[in-house]
Structure formats: structure tokens, C-alpha cells
Amino acid sequence: MAEKVLMKGNEVLAESAMRAGCKFFFGYPITPQTELSAYMAKRMPKCGGTFLQAESEIAAINMVYGASAAGARAMTSSSSPGISLKSEGVSYIAGADLPAVIINVMRGGPGLGSIQPSQSDYWQATRALGHGDFQMVVYAPSTVQEMADYTYKAFDVADEYRTPVMILADGMLGQMMEPVELRDPIEEIPERPWATTGHNNEREHNIVNSLYLDADLLDQMNHERYKRYEKIIATEQASEEFLCDDADIIVVAFGAAARIARNSVRAAREQGIKAGLFRPITLWPYPTEALEKTVAHAKGYLSVEMNMGQMVEDVRLVVGNRAPVDFYGRAGGVIPTPAEVLDKIVALNEKVGE
Amino acid sequence: MAEKEEKLVFERPKSLLPVVTNFCPGCTHGIVHRLVAETIDELGIEGKTVGVTPVGCSVMGYNFFGCDMIEAAHGRAPAVATGVKRVRPDNVVYAYQGDGDLASIGTAETVHTATRGENITIIFINNAIYGMTGGQMAPTSLPNQVTQTSPYGRDTSSAGYPVRICELLSTLDGPAYLERVCVDTPAHVRKAKKAIKKGFQYQIDGVGYSLIEVVSTCPTNWGMTPQDSFEWMRENMLPYYPLGVYRDVLAEGYESVADAALKRAGDSKIVVEGGAQ
Amino acid sequence: MSNEMRLILAGFGGQGLLFGGKVIAYAGLIDDREVSWLPSYGPEMRGGTANCSVTLSDEPIGSPLITDPTALIIMNQPSLDKFEDAIVPGGVIVIDSALTNNAPTRTDVESFMIPATSAAEEAGLAGLANIVCVGKLWSELAFCKRETLDAAIRKAVPARKAALVDKNLEALELGIGL
């Protein structure tokens, strides 16, 4: 077993990407993810890779598009306002069926917002990061170890389905240090027969493209892509449950908010309230199957988020009106305290106990 | 009568695929496409060339060239080409862009790719108008030029002045070679071909970034015959966009882009002495 | 959760509070405990106030942001004002008395006023008051084994500053004795 090391979340994202065979990183400075770029700038040249500070977030994502088209594992990272700028490029990456990994270390919004941790890009990540019909696999790690594990996974899934994949972290996870065990670097990445590497006069020319002026053809392409999405939905859902088996009250939270909610759930149990934590790890596809299983015994749900209430809609889509679904959130970069969340659990428990 | 031996004097370049293009009659894109394809054939590089096409009239270029092709978002071709070249430095990478793409929405990418000295070749078609969307004002539309979005003529007090790309980029240290050409006469076509080939050759030789600006026409949106278009171009565009070489580090007597940049740096201590400070 | 130490280190940027926190986090890592370390970040890091949260626990750590600390290391007056009310009853506060004007008003906590900055300067350890405070905290809470703490210093000091390891160990010793 590899030795555990103490590292910042942002640095772990960078190191794990390199170990996953990502040799090309294109970025632009923004708080609170800058350590990731700085780490790449330092380490990439030593590993025979390329770090390039692009002139803009837009250029960075388009460099990823080019590098991926040319057959490399490539990545970019940013924080909320920068991700908005990248959205054009992500749509093109999806439309051209290219694998790519995009990291969002979220901060408060809208606009320039704050630089403190937030989860207010949930809708953007899971619904509409860019124009057009497309989805993107979204991982929400909750520990520094998961930031490593899901970065490896992100590259594999991006390759398997030829799709952009996002790691949705936040300023807290990016800045914090925890012990982490890193895996050995991989030697080779999967083959890419579709890549524009130069045909060497040995095959037809490859074209990487998202333009289909023929409406029927584009319709067909989109249907084909959604077939792949169906497979992703069927096979890639991931979630974690903590004390959910007998829970009356299920707190649903992801990422940093889930860590806080975990404290609150423990405290609620100490008070005799049967509370549990359901933690989605994939935000798209949403872990609907696992959440559905809790509906049989849960009396109420509480979605805890660092935003004004976004994921709660996905919880309601699963639970419907079979149980009340409450929401508690703090926005703008404020991190909810375990005590605040506990109050909401207690209140919900009283409500459903009546 | 004795049979005459047939001699092939003209044929379609191999790397220009036998497909129907979407260009209007009299459009210069066809000529420039041919020059790029001839260059690729003559240098024998089709197998290792990757082309990047823009958004604009040449958007469908990925179907016309025989090499591997990538379609980029509007203005982003230089960033995409950068990504490709960084992954595959041994490939020959070119981007083919129009004026809206290169000098308006993609100006940041254009300037920064040039100043990084990316070892790629850019073919820039400047016809002073947005062709594909139907004749709107371009960053290179001339003062007083009437377009769909400057119906009373480009008013410089409101719309400002055109961008001269070769001149602009020549202030940077990154480019190895910048030349402005046109394709209105056989002599000019030959000269344009020479410039394009030089750009590709500089890339192959590792000399660095090159941009060849082709002053062009748009008979359809200018509302003129092809011949009148060339006449209008000669009368109005060429005085504003003078033909010529704006940068050629080797011809200027430097060993390389780096050498030229160093000599421009004066006695800036960190630049001259090197080493992290 | 009796074995959990939730520590906030707070003071001015540049006093090495994040580093002090890192030493304690490394001690947890060496002992194979659950560890989290979370700094404040942003413009306030440029010479203003700085603080960091360090948790050592035997159970998975929930929020790394500490709102109810069991221990404080305080290196300026504004930090004492900000965090004094948050500490749990029975908690331990180590205060650099050279940099604060007032003693804590809480009577349900254990406070240790030590002149860390002046003591460090007198001992030729200028700039290591942070580690002096860490030493004092250890002498009161023994949050790890003594040799673990030394090993943590060796791990936390970056390789390019290896020459500073001995000075840090001296500062630790100084703090333990205060």
C-alpha cells in the first residue's frame, strides 16, 4: 500500500490527473483553485507533460479541445466565473464527442460573487453547462481521497463514453489538507482511432467536428449520443449512505455540505432522532436508484446545500409527494454549521412525527 | 496524322478532395484552398498535417481538405491548433480563418498564439465583410464601407477603425513570418503561393509562427461582379492594407525568433542575462 | 468524540500559523489518525489576519471548518476577540502575550499566556513563535507522542529549507518548557 501523504485538495486534483495519464493542462488563474495550476506548472515539465497558462478561460478550454482531438488526455480547471467562460468550449467538446476533464472549484456567485466555498453551480453542471442537447458526467467528491479517486475515474469515464466529465469541488475541498493515498501513474492511455493525429496516408482522414447542417443528421447524432447517456445513467450512478438503513429523516447533501451534514446526523442520532445521510457522488447521472430505495422507510428529506436550493429539485423528482422534502442552504460562500443543520433535522422530525 | 503525346499540365491537388464546395462563384476562398492544398502536396505532408477550420464561409473546410481536420468554435482556431501542436509537435498544424473569426471574436487567441510563437501556420482571409451571415460589418471593413450593419457606411466616430492584423502582430516578438498577399492576378497568385509555402516550410523547419493574410473579395455580399470586386479591392483595400512582408526573422538577418526578440529587448537585465530572478 | 482535538490557530498573516497547523496535522498523519487542515484564504492572507482549522480525530471528520474549537493558539488581539467565545468549556487557549493586550475573560477554559514572540527572539529563534506556541499546546494536551511531534517538524519543513529543522525543534523545546 502506498504511503499516505498530507496534501491540499487542489494539489491532489493536479497530481491525480497526472497519474491518470493527463499530460496536457491548460488553465488560467482564479481563486480558489490557483494551487492546482501552480502545482501543474511546477510538476508537468518534470513529468514530460505540458502546462500552459492560456490567455483566457475560453482559450484554455479550446486548447483542451485541440489536445483531446489530437489524442491526449487533457484537462482544464477553474472556479465558477471561469467555468461560465468555458461553457462554450464544453458544448463543442460534447458535440464533437471528445473526452475531457474539467474541474470546477466552486465559489459564491452570481457574477464575481465571493471567493468563499459554494455549491451554486449545481444547475450549471448538471443541467446546462453550455448550449445544446448534452449532458456531462459530474463527480462531487467529499474528501481529499475522493478527489484523487474520482479524478482517475473521470479520465476513464471520459474516454469510455467520449464525453466531457466534470469534477465539481468547492473552495473548502480545494483548500483543505487531508491524508491521501495516491495510486501509481498509469503507463498508457486507451487507443483513440478517431483522433486527428495525421492519417499518415494509411486511413481516411479523421474529422473532429460538431457542425451538422443537415437537421436529420444532427437529430440522429444527438439520438446516438443520448443512447450513450442512457448507458451512463444505467451504470455510472454513485452515492454513499450513512446510517440510512432505518432512517426516518434523510439528509441529502453532496461535497463539502455532506461533511457538515454528517456531523449533524451524528448529533441527531445522539438525541434519539433516526437520521441518516444520503450523499450523491455522481450529480449527473443523479443516483436516483439508490435514493428511491430509501423512500420505503423515510418519513422526510432535508436537502442541505451551499446555495439557494438547486439539488433539492432532483430529490423532489425522486421522492415526489411521497414524503416532504425540505431544504436548508447558505449562499454566497457561507458554510452552514452543523448546529444549524441539526436544528432543521429536529424541526423536520417534529413535523413528520405529527 | 501523328498522335500527339498528352502532357498533364494542370490537375486537382491530391489533398484537395473532389467534393463540391459551398463557395460562391468568383470567391477567392477556392483559390486559397487550392494554394494550401498544392503546398501540402508539394511538401509531401498530407499524412502528418492537421488543419483547423473556423466559423465563417470556410467553416466546411474540414470536408474539402484530405488531411485530418478539426472544426473549431468561432475565433478559437488558434487555441485549438495550439492544443494539437502541443500534443503532436511533429505534425504540421494550420488554421484557416476569416476576418470576423481571426480579428474580431478571436482577437485574443490570435494575438496570444502569435506572441507565444506557436509553431503553426495561419491562413487569414481578409475580405472586409462577414460573408456567411450575409454581409455585416467586419473588423476589417473600411471607413465609410456600406454593409448590412453599417448601412450608412462605417462611421468611425461610432464603429471605430479597421484592424490591420499584420501590422499589429509585427509589434510582437513571437511571430517568425508575417506577409500580406492577394490573389487578383496570376502574378499575385504565384506570390501568395510562395508565401503560404514559406509559412508551412518555416513550421516544418521549426522557425516558428507564421500568418499569411490574403486580401480577398466577396462579390456576393459586396454586390459586384468578381472582376469589379478585384477592382474595388485594388482601389480601396490595398492602399489601406499594403501588400508585403511584415516580419521575416530569417530574411531580416536574425538566427531565430529568439534571437530577434533578444535584440529587441534592449538591455533589460533579466531578458539579456537570463535565469530566474 | 472525546479523542477529537479541534484547534484554531489565529493571528496575523506571516506569523507561520498555517505552518504551525501543518506540523500538528503531520503529527496526526504519522499516528495514522483522521486529520483535516483548512486555511482561511483570499485577500485576508496578504498581511491581514490569518487562521487555520486543524482537526485530529479517531473518527472520520465531518466539517473541517471548526466552529466549536477545543483548543486555540492565538497570536494577536483581534484573533482572541474573534475566537474566545467559540471555544468549548474546558478548552485550552495558548496566547502569545507579547502580541496581545488583554487576557481572556472566559473562566471556564484553561488559558496560558506565554511571551512566545519575545522568548523566541531572545533565544535566537526569531520568526518561530508559532512553533513555540505549538510546543506549549503539546505540553498541555499531549495530542501525540513526543517523538511524533519531532518527526512532524521534519516532515513539515520543506526540503529546500531543511537547514531550519533544528531551529524548529529548538523552538518546540522552548515552548514545551514555558
Side-chain angles (χ1 to χ4, degrees):
Chain A
M1 220 159 84
E3 197 194 350
K4 275 191 179 176
V5 290
L6 199 58
M7 285 176 80
K8 268 193 168 192
N10 280 335
E11 294 178 345
V12 164
L13 290 168
E15 180 64 35
S16 311
M18 288 190 279
R19 287 171 188 245
C22 169
K23 291 228 179 288
F24 296 87
F25 176 83
F26 306 95
Y28 186 87
I30 183 170
T31 305
Q33 67 79 52
T34 302
E35 292 85 0
L36 200 167
S37 277
Y39 191 92
M40 286 289 196
K42 207 169 166 180
R43 296 284 305 143
M44 268 295 195
K46 313 264 182 206
C47 310
T50 293
F51 162 84
L52 183 56
Q53 181 167 319
E55 61 270 29
S56 68
E57 303 281 10
I58 298 169
I61 189 71
N62 281 283
M63 288 171 186
V64 167
Y65 179 96
S68 179
R73 279 191 163 178
M75 180 170 105
T76 186
S77 75
S78 190
S79 179
S80 309
I83 295 293
S84 293
L85 284 166
K86 289 186 197 296
S87 65
E88 172 199 66
V90 176
S91 173
Y92 280 70
I93 286 169
D97 295 319
L98 291 174
V101 174
I102 300 114
I103 288 175
N104 183 359
V105 182
M106 288 182 284
R107 56 189 256 184
L112 206 44
S114 76
I115 56 169
Q116 297 305 319
S118 163
Q119 299 181 324
S120 52
D121 304 342
Y122 179 91
W123 278 340
Q124 184 195 46
T126 60
R127 298 297 195 278
L129 182 55
H131 61 282
D133 276 321
F134 78 93
Q135 290 283 3
M136 176 176 69
V137 178
V138 183
Y139 290 111
S142 182
T143 63
V144 173
Q145 183 64 53
E146 280 191 350
M147 290 168 101
D149 297 343
Y150 284 102
T151 300
Y152 311 137
K153 177 96 173 149
F155 280 99
D156 289 343
V157 166
D159 277 356
E160 186 178 348
Y161 300 99
R162 290 180 62 182
T163 180
V165 176
M166 176 172 276
I167 308 272
L168 196 64
D170 62 68
M172 185 164 104
L173 292 167
Q175 294 293 325
M176 71 183 287
M177 285 203 294
E178 278 184 322
V180 58
E181 199 181 313
L182 299 162
R183 79 173 189 195
D184 290 336
I186 63 162
E187 301 290 334
E188 275 183 22
I189 63 171
E191 289 212 4
R192 295 153 143 72
W194 44 263
T196 51
T197 56
H199 58 53
N200 212 15
N201 303 311
E202 288 164 354
R203 57 162 167 76
E204 288 287 295
H205 71 155
N206 281 343
I207 298 174
V208 170
N209 173 42
S210 65
L211 177 68
Y212 297 92
L213 291 178
D214 176 343
D216 284 329
L217 184 56
L218 181 56
D219 177 58
Q220 189 186 316
M221 294 299 293
N222 284 341
H223 275 94
E224 186 278 324
R225 192 168 299 114
Y226 271 70
K227 284 255 158 33
R228 263 180 292 153
Y229 292 165
E230 277 170 26
K231 195 177 164 206
I232 292 173
I233 291 166
T235 55
E236 301 297 338
Q237 294 182 21
S239 59
E240 187 197 54
E241 289 167 36
F242 174 63
L243 306 177
C244 277
D245 286 348
D246 65 338
D248 294 334
I249 305 298
I250 294 200
V251 180
V252 187
F254 68 94
R259 299 182 66 113
I260 293 144
R262 196 184 164 95
N263 283 10
S264 315
V265 162
R266 250 195 242 147
R269 286 270 171 180
E270 281 168 18
Q271 291 188 14
I273 297 173
K274 288 206 266 175
L277 172 68
F278 182 87
R279 180 170 72 87
I281 297 173
T282 49
L283 301 183
W284 192 88
Y286 200 72
T288 52
E289 286 173 27
L291 187 59
E292 174 63 36
K293 285 182 188 147
T294 66
V295 178
H297 57 80
K299 295 176 182 161
Y301 290 81
L302 174 67
S303 187
V304 176
E305 304 171 49
M306 283 147 62
N307 59 43
M308 295 302 291
Q310 300 187 15
M311 182 185 69
V312 64
E313 294 193 352
D314 280 325
V315 180
R316 288 188 180 129
L317 278 172
V318 174
V319 177
N321 43 26
R322 291 177 287 173
V325 179
D326 282 5
F327 166 73
Y328 180 69
R330 298 298 303 270
V334 178
I335 300 170
T337 66
E340 290 165 13
V341 176
L342 177 61
D343 286 348
K344 298 292 164 188
I345 294 173
V346 171
L348 178 60
N349 190 54
E350 282 171 13
K351 188 165 90 178
V352 298
E354 282 164 12
Chain B
M1 208 160 80
E3 264 189 39
K4 270 198 172 176
E5 198 184 329
E6 271 191 13
K7 193 178 160 197
L8 190 66
V9 291
F10 191 82
E11 65 179 334
R12 189 182 193 94
K14 186 184 152 290
S15 58
L16 195 61
L17 299 176
V19 294
V20 177
T21 73
N22 56 307
F23 299 125
C24 306
C27 171
T28 47
H29 270 305
I31 300 171
V32 183
H33 273 42
R34 183 181 171 92
L35 299 183
V36 170
E38 283 180 356
T39 298
I40 290 172
D41 284 3
E42 287 166 23
L43 295 172
I45 53 171
E46 187 190 322
K48 62 173 190 172
T49 298
V50 179
V52 183
T53 49
V55 172
C57 286
S58 49
V59 66
M60 306 288 290
Y62 54 81
N63 282 334
F64 308 154
F65 291 99
C67 54
D68 277 1
M69 297 297 296
I70 302 172
E71 167 55 28
H74 200 19
R76 318 298 173 220
V80 173
T82 296
V84 177
K85 190 69 180 183
R86 292 295 176 119
V87 173
R88 307 210 168 263
D90 295 333
N91 280 16
V92 177
V93 181
Y94 74 92
Y96 187 108
Q97 303 176 261
D99 43 51
D101 195 85
L102 183 141
S104 188
I105 199 167
T107 313
E109 286 81 358
T110 295
V111 169
H112 285 274
T113 304
T115 203
R116 278 196 306 270
E118 291 296 339
N119 188 24
I120 61 173
T121 308
I122 309 258
I123 310 297
F124 169 36
I125 307 297
N126 175 8
N127 63 1
I129 204 152
Y130 281 79
M132 183 176 233
T133 45
Q136 295 79 28
M137 187 182 75
T140 51
S141 292
L142 296 172
N144 305 317
Q145 185 179 341
V146 172
T147 72
Q148 197 185 66
T149 50
S150 56
Y152 311 110
R154 180 174 185 154
D155 176 2
T156 55
S157 72
S158 162
Y161 293 90
V163 181
R164 292 184 179 94
I165 284 293
C166 279
E167 288 86 337
L168 180 71
L169 297 187
S170 70
T171 67
L172 305 173
D173 286 342
Y177 173 52
L178 304 166
E179 182 165 358
R180 184 180 287 131
V181 296
C182 67
V183 290
D184 60 331
T185 65
H188 276 152
V189 170
R190 278 198 297 277
K191 213 166 175 192
K193 165 76 177 296
K194 228 174 119 188
I196 289 168
K197 198 165 174 180
K198 187 175 200 169
F200 276 81
Q201 191 63 54
Y202 269 23
Q203 180 180 169
I204 292 164
D205 296 344
V207 183
Y209 174 95
S210 59
L211 178 143
I212 296 91
E213 173 175 346
V214 185
V215 180
S216 300
T217 61
C218 183
T220 298
N221 288 298
W222 288 3
M224 298 175 200
T225 66
Q227 279 309 318
D228 287 349
S229 295
F230 280 135
E231 198 49 46
W232 193 89
M233 179 196 83
R234 284 188 287 265
E235 267 178 22
N236 300 288
M237 290 185 74
L238 294 188
Y240 207 90
Y241 300 110
L243 303 179
V245 178
Y246 286 82
R247 191 80 171 138
D248 184 341
V249 285
L250 297 192
E252 287 160 25
Y254 300 107
E255 285 171 28
S256 62
V257 166
D259 179 39
L262 195 61
K263 295 204 165 107
R264 257 189 187 180
D267 52 6
S268 167
K269 199 160 174 284
I270 185 169
V271 179
V272 176
E273 290 178 10
Q277 285 188 359
Chain C
M1 290 203 273
S2 55
N3 270 333
E4 187 166 280
M5 178 173 81
R6 300 186 296 278
L7 166 70
I8 295 177
L9 306 93
F12 291 119
Q15 286 177 319
L17 289 153
L18 269 51
F19 178 77
K22 214 183 239 187
V23 169
I24 294 168
Y26 269 114
L29 174 73
I30 292 165
D31 285 349
D32 204 24
R33 300 183 69 192
E34 299 288 337
V35 176
S36 74
W37 174 98
L38 179 73
S40 58
Y41 62 88
E44 61 182 341
M45 298 293 290
R46 321 275 184 265
T49 60
N51 68 74
C52 107
S53 295
V54 180
T55 305
L56 302 185
S57 182
D58 296 324
E59 288 180 60
I61 295 163
S63 175
L65 180 75
I66 296 170
T67 48
D68 54 345
T70 61
L72 294 174
I73 287 177
I74 296 293
M75 292 188 69
N76 67 10
Q77 188 64 44
S79 297
L80 181 60
D81 299 341
K82 183 172 177 183
F83 292 110
E84 188 186 344
D85 288 342
I87 191 165
V88 299
V92 169
I93 313 182
V94 172
I95 300 163
D96 188 343
S97 59
L99 302 172
T100 46
N101 305 321
N102 312 322
T105 53
R106 286 276 292 270
T107 53
D108 59 344
V109 296
E110 285 185 87
S111 299
F112 300 93
M113 309 279 288
I114 57 165
T117 295
S118 45
E121 275 168 17
E122 281 161 26
L125 300 168
L128 290 174
N130 55 338
I131 301 302
V132 172
C133 289
V134 169
K136 179 64 184 171
L137 187 76
W138 181 85
S139 72
E140 299 304 326
L141 287 175
F143 49 80
C144 65
K145 290 196 288 286
R146 181 67 181 83
E147 55 267 32
T148 301
L149 198 55
D150 286 358
I153 290 276
R154 290 196 179 87
K155 259 186 175 292
V157 174
R160 65 195 155 80
K161 289 186 181 170
L164 294 176
V165 167
D166 287 346
K167 291 269 184 199
N168 275 275
L169 292 174
E170 274 180 56
L172 208 54
E173 205 61 54
L174 177 63
I176 291 168
L178 279 177

